[in-house]
Amino acid sequence: MKAVVHNPNPEKAQPDRAIRRLERDVLRMGALVEQSFRLSHQALFARDLTAAEELPRLDKKIDRFYRQIESDCTSIMISQAPTAQDLRCLSAFMQLVRDLERIGDYAKDLAKIAIKIFPYPPHASLPEIALMSYHAQAMLATSLVALADLDEVSGLRIKYLDDTVDNAYDKLYQILAYQRDVPGVIEPILLLTLAIRCLERMADHATNIGQRVAYIVTGQRH
């Protein structure tokens, strides 16, 4: 990962090192969130309940990272006299890890949906929903690469990728919400409607991460 700060002043060495440690922790948290997203996909679309059972354990790790990073950011702000650039970076990290934490929460929700929907026959829309999930996962991966490279161009480009997920959500919602002659109970329809909402929100948070990266680099909010 590119260092956010490059300051030869030895008096700045301590906060610089602390921020670099934070960068590494944010990326480690991001890797856990990516893993949780993959497992939730596997649970829902491969009907893998073992994968679903892994999500609560992963979510606890993600939450620990979230609390630790927030605490570390606050500690640096209070005790190490950060520069304006440092403060911009720390502020972006605190917002960014919130986005990551929310994606992890939605992955856990998808796993719960996978468990509830397991007894029902696979719905005809599942392949399209799986494609929506793949697009959202690609957005998350792109946002984390943008963070690792401090690439504001890639970070901002993610919002255009979000259009694909939004369009998929609109189409699938129409299919699920207005489906007629549903045989049996409607619970699987309701669960899949919740699932596409989770995926749409996960993509939104990936978009936010890309915008946080651009803010770190440029100082401009988008």
Side-chain angles (χ1 to χ4, degrees), residues 151-169:
D151 181 353
E152 72 274 19
V153 175
S154 294
L156 291 175
R157 193 179 294 136
I158 296 168
K159 64 183 177 182
Y160 299 108
L161 301 177
D162 191 40
D163 291 342
T164 300
V165 175
D166 286 343
N167 291 337
Y169 174 79

Side-chain angles (χ1 to χ4, degrees), residues 25-76:
D25 285 344
V26 171
L27 288 175
R28 290 188 185 108
M29 180 181 176
L32 288 175
V33 173
E34 280 194 292
Q35 184 183 357
S36 69
F37 202 159
R38 286 193 298 270
L39 285 172
S40 70
H41 182 102
Q42 189 175 339
L44 186 57
F45 303 109
R47 300 169 71 83
D48 183 347
L49 296 189
T50 303
E53 290 166 359
E54 281 290 299
L55 264 294
R57 179 185 62 82
L58 261 182
D59 190 61
K60 288 180 181 177
K61 288 185 177 181
I62 290 167
D63 287 345
R64 281 198 296 269
F65 262 114
Y66 172 55
R67 290 191 296 268
Q68 175 205 319
I69 292 167
E70 272 209 327
S71 175
D72 290 346
C73 285
T74 303
S75 177
I76 294 170

Side-chain angles (χ1 to χ4, degrees), residues 31-220:
L32 288 175
V33 173
E34 280 194 292
Q35 184 183 357
S36 69
F37 202 159
R38 286 193 298 270
L39 285 172
S40 70
H41 182 102
Q42 189 175 339
L44 186 57
F45 303 109
R47 300 169 71 83
D48 183 347
L49 296 189
T50 303
E53 290 166 359
E54 281 290 299
L55 264 294
R57 179 185 62 82
L58 261 182
D59 190 61
K60 288 180 181 177
K61 288 185 177 181
I62 290 167
D63 287 345
R64 281 198 296 269
F65 262 114
Y66 172 55
R67 290 191 296 268
Q68 175 205 319
I69 292 167
E70 272 209 327
S71 175
D72 290 346
C73 285
T74 303
S75 177
I76 294 170
M77 288 178 177
I78 293 171
S79 65
Q80 298 192 22
T83 66
Q85 181 184 1
D86 293 340
L87 286 171
R88 185 173 79 213
C89 179
L90 293 166
S91 170
F93 280 168
M94 292 178 78
Q95 295 172 335
L96 192 153
V97 294
R98 177 60 177 163
D99 288 308
L100 286 173
E101 190 267 344
R102 292 300 297 135
I103 294 173
D105 283 347
Y106 284 121
K108 187 172 66 172
D109 290 343
L110 286 174
K112 291 177 182 177
I113 290 169
I115 292 169
K116 288 182 180 179
I117 208 169
F118 183 81
Y120 298 104
H123 191 271
S125 294
L126 273 178
E128 283 189 78
I129 300 173
L131 187 59
M132 182 182 177
S133 174
Y134 280 127
H135 281 303
Q137 288 178 73
M139 289 174 63
L140 174 60
T142 301
S143 73
L144 292 173
V145 171
L147 175 62
D149 295 340
L150 287 181
D151 181 353
E152 72 274 19
V153 175
S154 294
L156 291 175
R157 193 179 294 136
I158 296 168
K159 64 183 177 182
Y160 299 108
L161 301 177
D162 191 40
D163 291 342
T164 300
V165 175
D166 286 343
N167 291 337
Y169 174 79
D170 291 340
K171 178 183 176 183
L172 286 161
Y173 183 85
Q174 291 297 317
I175 291 171
L176 294 169
Y178 296 101
Q179 184 172 338
R180 297 182 180 182
D181 302 321
V182 179
V185 297
I186 64 167
E187 184 181 29
I189 305 298
L190 296 175
L191 290 170
L192 289 178
T193 304
L194 289 173
I196 63 171
R197 179 58 177 163
C198 287
L199 291 169
E200 190 266 340
R201 292 300 297 138
M202 291 162 101
D204 285 346
H205 285 291
T207 301
N208 289 347
I209 292 169
Q211 292 176 330
R212 315 288 189 214
V213 172
Y215 175 66
I216 290 171
V217 178
T218 67
Q220 297 179 348

